[in-house]
Amino acid sequence: MSTTAVKLAPAIRTSAEAQASARRGVAAPPATRLSTAAAAASEPAANPIGPRLAALGRSVATNVVPPVLVIGVLLVLWELLCHRPGAGLPPPSRVVTETWDLIVDPFFDNGGTDKGLFWHISASLQRVFMGFSIAVVVGVALGTLVGQSTWAMRGLDPLFQVLRTVPPLAWLPLSLAAFRDGQPSAIFVIFITSVWPIIINTAVGIRNIPQDYRNVAAVLRLNGFEFFWRIMVPSAAPYIFTGLRIGVGLSWLAIVAAEMLIGGVGIGFFIWDAWNSSKMSEIILALVYVGLIGFVLDRIVAFAATIVTRGTSAQ
Amino acid sequence: MAYLDISQVGISFSRGGRTSEVLRDVNLVVEKGEYVSIIGHSGCGKSTLLNIVAGLLRASTGGILLDGREVNAPGPDRAVVFQNHSLLPWLTVRENVSLAVDKVFSGKKSRTERKAWVEENLTLVNMMHAAEKRPNEISGGMKQRVGIARALAMEPKVLLLDEPFGALDALTRAHLQDQVMEIHARLGNTMMMITHDVDEAVLLSDRIVMMTNGPSATIGEILKVDLARPRRRLDLVEDATYVHARAAVLEFLYARHALPALAA
């Protein structure tokens, strides 16, 4: 039986041997086959690595294999459809070869707008970061006001409901007229796009603060500031973060369109520039980056939400 | 002089042009250190009365004096133990109590004194072992004990308990009742408790205030429970005074002031 154990699980034997020698605290003497096999057989619990690796492998397999498979099939389909000469889009193989320089060197800077993708994307991210940050502050503040005061809700809610349906780019001419510069205009468009879901979700969160918590605050005589930080924000945090997630997604949607119009450095302008020079491959590469970064932004906000709202869900 | 003086209190709510009177002419005097229970059928306005004393609701008529001062706003001198514990779920047990302690004693106790006071109150309700747990990690009875610790830690002049054991199973409830009696004996707090449990009222109270049915509910009768303390539930089962008090409350609730729906 011990020989079958050795044959079936060489990995088990080595790990058990390593642990056994470590426990002895001295360099293990060169063990014979038989003694190590006996150690493996007598210590079934001293083998946590093998099954854990297997479980990890299984979870990777179930989560990674399907998307990889689907993407592979789609790429092959795309390659087949666009491979013939005269196709409207380049096949993936040509996209990679044509944009290889951009992929391997995202950091070059030849002055003007002739920069690597890293610089374009970071310029776009900076605008989103600024516009979104302003939107968070203003959105949470206005949402708190609307959620807390019935009068403010009656006065402001109709306004919000109408303004939030205005498409982001419709604000651009107005903001260009007001700021007379591309950079603040783009930031304003990001702000005005992402602020509505933050306002509305915060207001719902504030309105849903249980009366019990308000009673506790009243008995303790918390002042407005304490009530805001100790009760309102934690209690409404799940709602606020829902608004933030929608908001960050919308800002990333809006920045590309806004940058196409205002020009300068930015991923939106990069796409427009590539279109003007008929570089389809570069557009496709840029779209891949835009999609991946949008995904990462969403994940970051979601991650922040899980940390901040840990334990805020009432039983 | 009366410690807590509720005189001629009435309250009406109006909604959509219709005014409904919930309480009318409620008069009650509670002495310092007394344990008073308020019992009545659902909807008779007993919780409303407690909320008026707490200051969470304003009486339409009449007024309340506590230790010679008028009550017109909520405050830590009338700490409330809420029926559904009302602990803040994002704070640990210790943080829930220290939120109250830090606020109430911010100028009066040093940081170390406040920390010790939080721990003293958690120890009082035997919850020190779970101080770092969050409310959703502890049982319903434990949550209510923390709610009691939070209220006691405010050193209230009167402790208001709003059906504090209503949501608990019978065994946990009995255990908590014993703990509350012990705390009352040790600290001598003035307590006012809402309940719908006759045995609980008789076991814990010095006096039982029985409310008539609404609308326009008021105090129907006040029963003095002449049982020596400390009281032990097992000894009382066949005690004549206990049995008599219990019968009197039951008679009031189910014979003279039965709910119309039940009487039919």
Side-chain angles (χ1 to χ4, degrees):
Chain A
M1 184 186 165
S2 57
T3 44
T4 51
V6 172
K7 264 187 218 152
L8 286 178
I12 292 174
R13 178 167 55 83
T14 42
S15 73
E17 183 183 1
Q19 287 199 354
S21 55
R23 216 173 299 133
R24 266 179 251 130
V26 289
T32 64
R33 261 183 93 81
L34 205 72
S35 71
T36 47
S42 66
E43 292 179 85
N47 166 39
I49 304 280
R52 232 189 290 161
L53 269 182
L56 186 72
R58 264 197 303 278
S59 92
V60 166
T62 51
N63 288 315
V64 173
V65 168
V68 166
L69 208 67
V70 169
I71 292 170
V73 168
L74 287 177
L75 282 176
V76 168
L77 209 63
W78 177 10
E79 182 78 37
L80 290 177
L81 286 174
C82 297
H83 201 66
R84 65 189 166 79
L89 284 175
S93 56
R94 214 165 80 222
V95 170
V96 173
T97 49
E98 283 183 356
T99 59
W100 189 247
D101 292 342
L102 286 170
I103 296 173
V104 293
D105 184 12
F107 299 110
F108 73 86
D109 186 353
N110 297 334
T113 56
D114 187 10
K115 293 174 196 274
L117 274 169
F118 172 81
W119 302 110
H120 285 288
I121 288 170
S122 73
S124 299
L125 279 176
Q126 272 173 32
R127 293 191 182 108
V128 166
F129 180 74
M130 289 171 75
F132 183 66
S133 304
I134 302 171
V136 171
V137 174
V138 174
V140 171
L142 276 178
T144 306
L145 178 71
V146 172
Q148 186 71 355
S149 148
T150 316
W151 200 92
M153 186 190 76
R154 287 192 191 129
L156 289 170
D157 195 56
L159 196 66
F160 292 162
Q161 297 299 342
V162 171
L163 288 182
R164 80 187 172 91
T165 65
V166 174
L169 282 193
W171 292 99
L172 193 59
L174 269 184
S175 60
L176 276 170
F179 296 110
R180 297 169 191 284
D181 186 17
Q183 179 75 357
S185 305
I187 292 171
F188 175 78
V189 168
I190 297 305
F191 159 75
I192 205 80
T193 308
S194 53
V195 77
W196 309 118
I198 301 177
I199 293 178
I200 290 166
N201 280 285
T202 305
V204 172
I206 299 287
R207 232 172 286 155
N208 280 339
I209 295 176
Q211 186 61 40
D212 296 335
Y213 301 169
R214 294 181 184 275
N215 286 347
V216 169
V219 168
L220 290 177
R221 291 208 182 121
L222 297 184
N223 60 37
F225 185 76
E226 290 165 332
F227 183 61
F228 180 78
W229 282 112
R230 305 304 298 264
I231 310 280
M232 271 185 173
V233 170
S235 176
Y239 292 89
I240 295 176
F241 270 97
T242 305
L244 296 188
R245 256 181 100 175
I246 300 172
V248 83
L250 288 180
S251 2
W252 193 240
L253 289 183
I255 189 66
V256 173
E259 284 174 347
M260 284 184 174
L261 295 177
I262 61 165
V265 178
I267 193 70
F269 175 74
F270 177 87
I271 294 174
W272 194 245
D273 195 40
W275 161 246
N276 281 334
S277 6
S278 303
K279 291 175 181 159
M280 287 301 161
S281 299
E282 291 189 2
I283 297 181
I284 291 167
L285 177 69
L287 292 193
V288 171
Y289 277 123
V290 168
L292 289 177
I293 287 168
F295 175 74
V296 170
L297 286 179
D298 184 66
R299 289 285 102 192
I300 290 173
V301 178
F303 180 67
T306 56
I307 290 190
V308 173
T309 63
R310 189 176 39 196
T312 58
S313 55
Q315 288 268 87
Chain B
M1 197 186 119
Y3 194 58
L4 175 67
D5 188 350
I6 303 171
S7 65
Q8 291 299 113
V9 163
I11 190 167
S12 309
F13 296 102
S14 45
R15 179 182 287 171
R18 287 236 312 263
T19 304
S20 55
E21 188 178 41
V22 174
L23 293 174
R24 176 195 283 174
D25 297 343
V26 176
N27 289 293
L28 179 65
V29 171
V30 180
E31 298 303 329
K32 191 168 185 175
E34 200 176 13
Y35 199 124
V36 172
S37 289
I38 298 174
I39 196 166
H41 290 290
S42 302
C44 74
K46 50 192 194 296
S47 279
T48 308
L49 178 61
L50 188 99
N51 282 335
I52 295 173
V53 178
L56 295 167
L57 289 173
R58 295 290 300 267
S60 312
T61 61
I64 293 171
L65 288 174
L66 174 61
D67 201 11
R69 291 175 60 179
E70 194 186 354
V71 166
N72 48 21
D77 57 338
R78 281 153 289 124
V80 185
V81 176
F82 297 96
Q83 179 176 12
N84 45 3
H85 66 79
S86 293
L87 300 178
L88 304 177
W90 53 88
L91 299 178
T92 62
V93 162
R94 180 197 295 275
E95 287 165 342
N96 264 291
V97 179
S98 54
L99 175 70
V101 170
D102 289 347
K103 179 65 188 163
V104 174
F105 297 105
S106 60
K108 294 164 220 149
K109 286 185 199 278
S110 74
R111 187 182 295 266
T112 35
E113 281 173 332
R114 293 202 298 261
K115 189 169 179 291
W117 181 238
V118 168
E119 296 187 353
E120 192 179 326
N121 280 282
L122 282 175
T123 311
L124 191 67
V125 295
N126 296 325
M127 281 303 294
M128 210 36 221
H129 65 280
E132 313 309 330
K133 288 215 162 88
R134 287 179 198 276
N136 56 15
E137 296 167 334
I138 58 180
S139 71
M142 288 174 158
K143 284 180 212 172
Q144 206 51 275
R145 271 147 67 185
V146 178
I148 292 170
R150 176 174 66 182
L152 285 173
M154 299 180 209
E155 285 195 326
K157 289 178 175 166
V158 53
L159 188 65
L160 305 173
L161 304 112
D162 188 1
E163 294 191 29
F165 317 121
L168 305 175
D169 64 90
L171 289 176
T172 312
R173 189 185 307 168
H175 181 64
L176 267 184
Q177 286 165 352
D178 291 344
Q179 274 195 327
V180 166
M181 273 197 290
E182 212 183 294
I183 289 167
H184 181 236
R186 189 161 357 148
L187 304 179
N189 310 71
T190 310
M191 301 219 191
M192 189 166 153
M193 177 177 77
I194 303 290
T195 183
H196 50 224
D197 180 333
V198 176
D199 290 294
E200 179 173 289
V202 177
L203 178 67
L204 295 178
S205 318
D206 296 315
R207 281 189 299 155
I208 302 173
V209 175
M210 291 170 267
M211 308 251 323
T212 62
N213 291 320
S216 305
T218 189
I219 293 174
E221 200 177 314
I222 298 179
L223 179 76
K224 200 162 164 52
V225 184
D226 269 325
L227 285 168
R229 291 178 186 273
R231 298 172 183 171
R232 291 186 46 223
R233 66 181 69 239
L234 280 179
D235 301 346
L236 292 177
V237 175
E238 296 187 355
D239 183 290
T241 319
Y242 180 86
V243 173
H244 178 76
R246 198 170 170 280
V249 177
L250 286 173
E251 202 259 342
F252 177 91
L253 287 178
Y254 298 106
R256 278 186 284 153
H257 293 275
L259 279 179
L262 292 174

